[in-house]
Amino acid sequence: MKGNRMLKPILLMLALIVPTASADEVNVTFFGQSTHLIEGDFNDKHELFGVEYIDTSGDYDTGHAVSSYVNSYNIQGYMYTYSLYSPYDAHKFRTIFTAGATTGYKDTGGVCIIEVGELCSVLAIGVEYGKYKLVPRITLFGPALVFSLSYKF
């Protein structure tokens, strides 16, 4: 696998240094596994680690996240995303719409709507279950359906 694994601890330290005064919720994502909706020899264990700050003060919750992961092509990637969350329903499910940018897809043939140098656009939709501190999420990233786990602080 390509990439520098030392960036995960650095990412964590940077994420913890960021002021969290405006964040009403902090999620740490520590697990990601996928299945692909197209044929191919893809990585499905993503060594995902990310931190998201969620602001709950508006009509819709909004989140800013930074993540490190090994993508479907076994390449280390780093991602920034902005997410818009629907309100929780009566059963504690909510929908997530995500947009952002990631590295690790140059010259892979991966789905990039916009590609600028090393950066590839990210568009995703997902659903999460938020009744407990441990939050499972299913997200569709292009042809990959990703199951992830986060801990809500």
Side-chain angles (χ1 to χ4, degrees):
M1 289 183 210
K2 299 176 185 176
N4 184 346
R5 301 303 168 123
M6 288 304 296
L7 286 175
K8 285 184 185 180
I10 293 169
L11 180 66
L12 173 62
M13 288 184 288
L14 288 173
L16 295 176
I17 291 171
V18 173
T20 61
S22 66
D24 297 308
E25 189 177 300
V26 177
N27 291 338
V28 174
T29 303
F30 57 88
F31 175 82
Q33 186 153 344
S34 68
T35 187
H36 292 80
L37 306 176
I38 59 174
E39 294 287 325
D41 185 24
F42 296 109
N43 174 45
D44 63 357
K45 294 177 179 61
H46 299 290
E47 300 178 32
L48 173 61
F49 179 81
V51 177
E52 181 176 30
Y53 298 97
I54 298 177
D55 180 357
T56 61
S57 64
D59 290 336
Y60 292 92
D61 296 352
T62 57
H64 296 271
V66 290
S67 305
S68 168
Y69 66 103
V70 177
N71 70 21
S72 298
Y73 301 95
N74 276 321
I75 299 170
Q76 184 70 48
Y78 303 96
M79 181 167 42
Y80 165 79
T81 56
Y82 174 82
S83 295
L84 180 65
Y85 292 84
S86 71
Y88 283 110
D89 70 8
H91 302 287
K92 298 300 277 183
F93 286 96
R94 68 179 176 179
T95 305
I96 308 114
F97 300 96
T98 300
T102 187
T103 63
Y105 287 90
K106 186 174 177 85
D107 301 325
T108 63
V111 178
C112 266
I113 296 169
I114 300 170
E115 189 172 355
V116 179
E118 295 290 325
L119 292 178
C120 176
S121 59
V122 173
L123 292 173
I125 186 168
V127 64
E128 73 176 22
Y129 180 66
K131 185 174 180 179
Y132 305 104
K133 293 279 191 186
L134 187 62
V135 180
R137 180 185 290 188
I138 297 174
T139 309
L140 182 62
F141 285 98
L145 190 60
V146 180
F147 173 76
S148 60
L149 290 174
S150 297
Y151 187 82
K152 183 177 8 177
F153 289 92

